[in-house]
Every structure is written in structure tokens, then in C-alpha cells.
Amino acid sequence: METVALRCTNCGAPLPKPQPGEEWVRCEYCGFLNKVVDAAAYVERLRRDLEKWIRELLPATMISSTVADLTARYQIFQEIIKPKVMMARSNIRAKYLLYLSSPLTPIPPPSFSSDDPKPLFEETLRIQTIRDFAVSEDDLKLVQETIVYGNIAGYLLNAIKALSKFDVKSALKNIEEALAGIPEDPGLNLVKQRLNAARSVLTALSLLYDRDTQAALDIAKTGIDQYNMLLDSVGSSASPEVSRGVLEAEKMVAEIVYKISEASHEFFRAGRDPLEVLRFVEAYTKVFQLIRETYKRPLSDLVEVVENLRRIVLAKNGSSQVYVVPGSGSFYLPFYVVESRFSFVKGMLLKKGVESRLTVLVSAIAPYAANPVTD
């Protein structure tokens, strides 16, 4: 019954070890500032609750006299403990699947969850206290699965709460901790791949906040590649942990982060603060969320907005993409590719009010002819 490590009084996750003489310690998972004495009192109360739970679950004579007897421990687990563990596993797994059923991204932010992660972490600790009674392979698997689902669900809920507030670093810490708790199990491989991809995207955003634009660009590209491989693995199969629709939404966000990283890197190369781009996206994301909820607009709209932002940043800094059209001659003629959007107010063949687009080439050098614009 090891509960020595301090735990957050707000979310129940383990706290970092306080330094000697330190009176306050911040939770790395929910950001709550804990007074050390309060955290110690919470752990002590948790210890007493666990001892009380064990006494209520198992008579004292069973605990003291039969703990060394494998046959007796097996019988105790089957008759008394297993029904409670199975019920706990069912409830915890339902939460685990619920938190995996929506995109784990800050763009757009997930809906704020009113669930409390503390009961998940506390329930997981209860299950850990009776692990020694699981002597058969099937019983041990049941206990371990319940512990894994409980810890992952707790960290996922913390991550969702952080993402709803655009707290990227706290969300990243929780995703990393959830990943650390996933064992080598073929049944959890797809979940591990998904969380690894989400970690790449959040890491790229975290690096952007640290103004490390080149590293952000590289790891955002890695995230896109991870989602592509994951989508290939999933195929058309339906799974609550790795739903194809959710994965496609997360991949779109990975592409958005890549475009933001590219624009931010260009700002950095031009001697400007790369956070300008990220702050614009943060502000616009709130507007987009309102538009999305009101008019049911798809996430692809935000992808298009960020792509246009990227193009503007690259063009203004003289780093727009250059396309070479094969031809004849001994020198190149540079042109701007300009796209114009408009709608018709009247016309027989063209529908009134429908948006049309016209792409033209505009000479990028002093014109050699009277009219430099060509179709």
C-alpha cells in the first residue's frame, strides 16, 4: 500500500518532490499550486481511506492469516475482489473511451469537461492495493488493465482540460505521462501511435512558444507523417480509441501547426517575433470556434485560413514559392501568380452571385511590352 509520493489536491496526480524547505509545489499536470502541508494531509487521508477500504473489503483474519497462501488468495480474489474490480474496470474503461472519442488538439479547443480526474486516480490506487491477491494470469491481467485504463483516463482528462484553455505545455506533459503508462500490448498499439502523433503536434506548438521555429517545423512534419501511417493502419475499421474521423481531424490540425511553423520560421528569419503568427492564430481560433458552432463550418475552413496566412507571410518576406515552367531560351522570366475572386451581378450563362476565380500571371520585372499581364 504505497502512497508515499505527494499527490495534487486538485487532480490527484503525483506531485514532483518538493525541495527542502519548500512550502508550495505546482502540479505538472493541472497547474494547481499546492501547499506542501495540504498535499501531505491529502496523502495521509488517502492512506487512511485505502486502509479502511481494504478492511471493509476483506476481513482482518483473511488479510493476516491467508496472505501467504496462494490457493486462499486465489479464492479470496474470485469470491470477493473480482466482482468489484470488474465493475471498476467497466466504469474506468468507459471514461477512457469517452476521452479518446474527440480530437486531442487545441485548435479548435475541445469543450471544457466538468469531469474530475481525482476519482480516477484514487480508484486506480485502490485497485493497486489488492494487486497481490491476483495470483492467476487472468486475474493479474484484469487488475493491470484496470490500472492502465485508470491512469491513462486521468491524464487524458487533465490534457483535455488544459487544451480547452490552450495550455499546450500542460497538455503535452499529460499526454507524455499517459504514453509512459501504456505497456507493450498489441491491443494498445494503435492508441500508443495516436498519442505519439498528438505528442508530436503539441511538442511543435510548445517549441513555437519557445521560438525554436526550425525544430517546430521538423517535428510538425513528423506529426503529419505519423497520422498518415496511422490512417493507413486503421483503414476503414471503426474503433472508439482510434476513430478514422477523429484521426482525420487531428491530422488537419497537424497540417495547421506545420503551416503556422513555416510562417513563424519565416518571421524569425526576417528578424521579427515568430510568436506574432501564433498569437494571431490563437485570437482567430476563438472567432472560428464561434463561426463553427453557429454555422456548422468544417475544420477545413481553418486550414484554408492558415494556408492563406502562410502565403501572405512568405510573400511579404520575399520567400514565396517559385515554380519553373519548362520553355525555350537562355534566361528565366519571373512572374507573380495572382488569384482574383469575384462574383457576377448579372449574366445569362454565369450564375448571379456565384463566386468565380481568375488566376493570372503578372510580370515580376519591368515590362518589355505595353501590357505585362497574360492569361
Side-chain angles (χ1 to χ4, degrees), residues 70-99:
L70 290 180
T71 303
R73 283 159 58 191
Y74 175 79
Q75 197 68 24
I76 291 169
F77 189 89
Q78 293 298 314
E79 295 180 1
I80 302 175
I81 300 176
K82 190 171 184 177
K84 294 184 180 296
V85 176
M86 291 183 68
M87 184 179 298
R89 181 189 182 280
S90 177
N91 293 333
I92 288 173
R93 180 168 166 78
K95 293 288 187 180
Y96 162 83
L97 294 176
L98 174 64
Y99 303 143

Side-chain angles (χ1 to χ4, degrees), residues 7-73:
R7 287 187 170 260
C8 176
T9 58
N10 181 57
C11 75
L15 288 173
K17 187 176 181 180
Q19 298 300 317
E22 193 174 26
E23 294 186 10
W24 298 86
V25 60
R26 187 177 296 279
C27 178
E28 298 175 321
Y29 306 103
C30 72
F32 187 76
L33 191 62
N34 292 264
K35 198 169 185 177
V36 172
V37 65
D38 292 339
Y42 170 61
V43 169
E44 184 59 32
R45 181 186 67 76
L46 192 58
R47 187 196 299 274
R48 290 196 301 269
D49 288 346
L50 290 173
E51 289 173 350
K52 180 182 177 183
W53 184 73
I54 287 292
R55 287 196 301 270
E56 292 174 350
L57 185 66
L58 302 173
T61 53
M62 287 186 178
I63 298 174
S64 59
S65 62
T66 63
V67 71
D69 187 335
L70 290 180
T71 303
R73 283 159 58 191

